[in-house]
Amino acid sequence: MLKFLKQVTDYTKEAVQAARFIGQGLSVTFDHMQRRPITVQYPYEKLIPSERFRGRIHFEFDKCISCEVCVRVCPINLPVVDWEFNKETKKKKLNHYSIDFGVCIFCGNCVEYCPTNCLSMTEEYDLSTYDRHELNFDNVALGRLPYKVTEDPMVQPLRELAYLPKGVLDPHGLPPGSRRAGKLPEEILEEAEGNGAK
Amino acid sequence: MNSGIDLQGSFIQLLVDLGLSAEAARVVWLPLPMLLVLVGATLGVLVTTWLERKISAAAQQRIGPEFAGPLGMLIPIADGLKLLVKEDIIPAKADSLLFTLGPAIVVIPVFLSFLIVPFGQNLLITDLGIGIFLWISLSSIAPIGLLMAGYASNNKYSLLGGLRAAAQSISYEIPLALSVVAIAMMSNSLSTVDIVQQQSGYGILGWNVWRQPIGFLIFWIAALAECERLPFDLPEAEEELVAGYQTEYAGIKFGLFYLGSYVNLVLSSLFVSVLYLGGWNFIIPIEVLADWLGVSESTPWLQVITGSLGIIMTLLKAYLLVFLAILLRWTLPRVRIDQLLDLGWKFLLPVSLVNLLLTAALKLAFPFAFGG
Amino acid sequence: MNLADGVQIVSFGVLALMMLGAALGVVLLENIVYSAFLLGGVFISIAGLYILLNAGFVAAAQVLIYVGAVNVLILFGIMLVNKRQNFVPLRNAWVGKATTAVVCLGLFALLGAMVLSTPWAISTAPVAGDTSTVVIGLHFFSDFLLPFELASVLLLMALIGAIVLARREFLPDALEREQTQQPVLTLPERPRELASAAPGSPDRTLGTSPTKRNV
């Protein structure tokens, strides 16, 4: 009988504890309701991509020496380099170059290894099209420069979380001259050089 | 006791004064409340879907619908229009008759249950003697529609979802009914009007929550399970069953399921507010306020205020519960099917039986407080 | 004839037609799922007839118990036991059919005779209406006490039986062994133990312990 009573009390305790935990969870959810939304309303507001953002790849046709390093370092050999050997100058002549961004994973290996720096990353990331074949960029399309978010009059640029002043979580309505938390890279560099001079 | 406004009486009197026979006047009156409640229920669903979106967004620090109308209030209308004009697809290997019948069978009983929801002394379609029992029996029809939809879709996920929905409905119907029985025992009646009457007189202190706290919790949990709201939304568990019995549905038939589930939520909240939160009663009894101000109870403007306050209070309580349901949705994770049935059969059922026995004992011991 | 009477007669006709049609469908349709759903239609029509007889409580109970519980259980049974097999054509199948026909006709004749012989006098007692729940309760605890209690004992027995069936430990061992020997519902997969027990098989990484894998 006592054992049974103990079971009943244990069960009741567990039930009460479960109810308390549910109440705790509810209070957390309720607390979240009065926080400001962190939504970035995309087509009208855009986050400023960070310096090392890996977006759509930019290609400079004239710099390319058709070495095909980009093809070799690419995980899936994606770039298509169409060249022919010019016997008179004994140099490769590039005819066409293309990358299919429907397949590219934006790993940046090609940019990293390109010996003449003719490949570079841009800030462009909204590549949506109605046909996936339109994502296959040829050398003309690859050579276009994207709009900068900060210069687009249609878009309100917003800073990313790491670029906000200390303690600020909401990028909306920052005062114009506000600085990000911590030192800027050039400041760190300057300090290091100053130390080195001493 | 017949206080408050008698809309039916005055309307018929008006028509009779205009020269119609009493019979014809009644015929003209008959469809009006039904139409009103139907429109009201649909409007309630629209508001609920908007609230669901906005509150969900707030709980997740988003904005939610914003551009369709002020504060995105037109988004439910856009939703409904979209579902209306979308193509109505019936899968090739589906059983088209049962496939079409399923959503209708799910929705009709829910709307029928609005027959007995009181918004005031005389503000309900019909004050049936079986009252709340009608709701319990009508809500037991829905599983048939769910099974029908699940079977007719010719899809294993649909069938599993339908079976789960039916199992869940049947299991949680019992604790629901038992906690309603405890209420009926206290108010000596099944009629919703009598149940609210019995809670009036002492303001907030007279509400059934204080006398039936366990029953209130059981009823709310079981009602959430009946509505397939999130801690218990196994029949349409996205990760396991795609969308359960709704998987193959599109267009207006899916819209009917959607409408049905939200009407059910609003209805359950209304019934919780009627059974446990004093229905149309204000926090302080109106009669006391009127006495205090020295206004006679039969003053026309006081009656109008009482009537509208009743409607507002009922809706306010119901939407408070809807808010709680939405908050619960974003707080609790989904339970597993065995946990669900364990909770239903091994926890809620014994506890509600104990609650029933306790109520009976208390009624015998303290007849003045527990409606002897 | 006033409005209420007209509505009553029309609804009676509709309900009776619905009930007869659905009942015939239950018996005559080939698809058993259709039959089960139509059975729900029969129960609903009967509930409608109860409402016409001013017995709201009985109608609601009919819907709750027969449509909400019995019919759903039947549907569950049908949908969970989805065994498709062709029936072996019996010789002398006509004997069974003939017996069925005779029994059915006999039952029909019996019921018909009873219907014809009963004096269908309309009761002059006042209609119970909304107080019918009280009247039913009084009958349950006075003159119908024995059937009521017997029914509850029957339900209790069914409940205990279901629990015994659900708890496997009370089943005799022989039955279980038979079941394990004939695995009917297994996936066409290789058993996991076999793959790990065979040393040197190419796919033994699946079964080996993590310490071995790290070596």
Side-chain angles (χ1 to χ4, degrees), chain A:
Chain A
M1 186 64 198
L2 270 176
K3 197 185 158 205
F4 176 72
L5 275 181
K6 191 179 176 308
Q7 271 181 336
V8 169
T9 44
D10 284 355
Y11 195 72
T12 322
K13 268 182 198 160
E14 266 178 44
V16 168
Q17 204 177 28
R20 270 198 21 227
F21 286 153
I22 289 174
Q24 230 169 42
L26 273 177
S27 70
V28 169
T29 322
F30 192 75
D31 183 58
H32 272 257
M33 295 208 25
Q34 49 203 354
R35 300 188 187 177
R36 278 195 69 175
I38 51 164
T39 310
V40 174
Q41 296 199 313
Y42 165 65
Y44 311 110
E45 300 173 342
K46 287 181 185 174
L47 289 178
I48 306 166
S50 59
E51 295 95 343
R52 294 170 65 169
F53 188 80
R54 299 204 298 254
R56 196 258 293 170
I57 291 163
H58 179 259
F59 174 71
E60 266 179 75
F61 190 84
D62 298 336
K63 274 193 189 172
C64 182
I65 55 170
S66 317
C67 65
E68 292 195 2
V69 157
C70 47
V71 185
R72 267 182 279 150
V73 298
C74 181
I76 47 168
N77 302 343
L78 186 60
V80 178
V81 189
D82 172 24
W83 53 268
E84 57 189 336
F85 192 68
N86 191 336
K87 283 193 176 149
E88 286 160 24
T89 55
K90 293 194 176 167
K91 275 181 182 168
K92 291 182 195 167
K93 185 184 169 294
L94 185 62
N95 291 334
H96 299 101
Y97 187 91
S98 69
I99 296 174
D100 188 350
F101 287 111
V103 191
C104 179
I105 58 165
F106 303 95
C107 65
N109 272 357
C110 48
V111 177
E112 197 81 4
Y113 283 92
C114 182
T116 59
N117 278 343
C118 69
L119 288 170
S120 56
M121 288 295 197
T122 65
E123 295 180 347
E124 191 181 351
Y125 53 86
D126 28 14
L127 296 168
S128 56
T129 52
Y130 283 103
D131 181 2
R132 67 193 165 93
H133 300 296
E134 285 172 33
L135 288 172
N136 195 352
F137 279 43
D138 68 348
N139 45 22
V140 180
L142 283 169
R144 288 194 190 109
L145 278 170
Y147 275 114
K148 280 188 90 169
V149 173
T150 38
E151 286 165 8
D152 195 338
M154 301 284 288
V155 173
Q156 161 129 46
L158 293 177
R159 294 202 209 166
E160 277 178 353
L161 186 67
Y163 295 84
L164 294 174
K166 198 172 181 189
V168 179
L169 289 175
D170 187 18
H172 297 273
L174 277 180
S178 51
R179 265 185 55 125
R180 59 182 274 195
K183 290 174 188 160
L184 297 178
E186 49 266 33
E187 287 171 350
I188 297 172
L189 204 68
E190 216 168 78
E191 255 174 46
E193 277 172 357
N195 286 343
K198 272 177 211 167

Side-chain angles (χ1 to χ4, degrees), chain B residues 23 27 30 95 97-98 127-130 133-134 136-138 140-141 143-144 147-148 151 159 163 166-167 170 173 190, chain C residues 2-4 31 33-34 37 40 44 56-57 59-61 63-65 67-69 71-73 75-76 79-80 130 133:
Chain B
E23 187 112 335
V27 172
L30 263 180
D95 191 325
L97 183 70
L98 293 185
D127 179 15
L128 286 176
I130 54 169
F133 191 52
L134 180 82
I136 293 172
S137 72
L138 279 177
S140 73
I141 297 180
I144 295 224
L147 277 174
M148 202 180 261
Y151 169 78
L159 184 59
L163 286 175
I170 290 179
E173 198 114 290
L190 286 166
Chain C
N2 61 3
L3 184 80
N31 190 341
V33 177
Y34 275 37
F37 281 126
I44 294 265
F57 182 77
V63 170
L64 178 64
I65 292 163
V67 181
N71 201 22
V72 169
L73 277 183
L75 280 167
F76 251 82
M79 286 184 183
L80 288 179
D130 281 350
T133 38

Side-chain angles (χ1 to χ4, degrees), chain C residues 19-34:
Chain C
M19 186 165 73
L20 287 178
L24 282 177
V26 172
V27 185
L28 297 178
L29 281 182
E30 288 275 308
N31 190 341
I32 192 166
V33 177
Y34 275 37

Side-chain angles (χ1 to χ4, degrees), chain C residues 29 32 50 58 60 64 67 91 93 107 133 176 182 200:
Chain C
L29 281 182
I32 192 166
Y50 285 143
V58 185
L64 178 64
V67 181
R91 284 184 294 142
L107 258 179
T133 38
E176 268 182 34
Q182 294 175 328

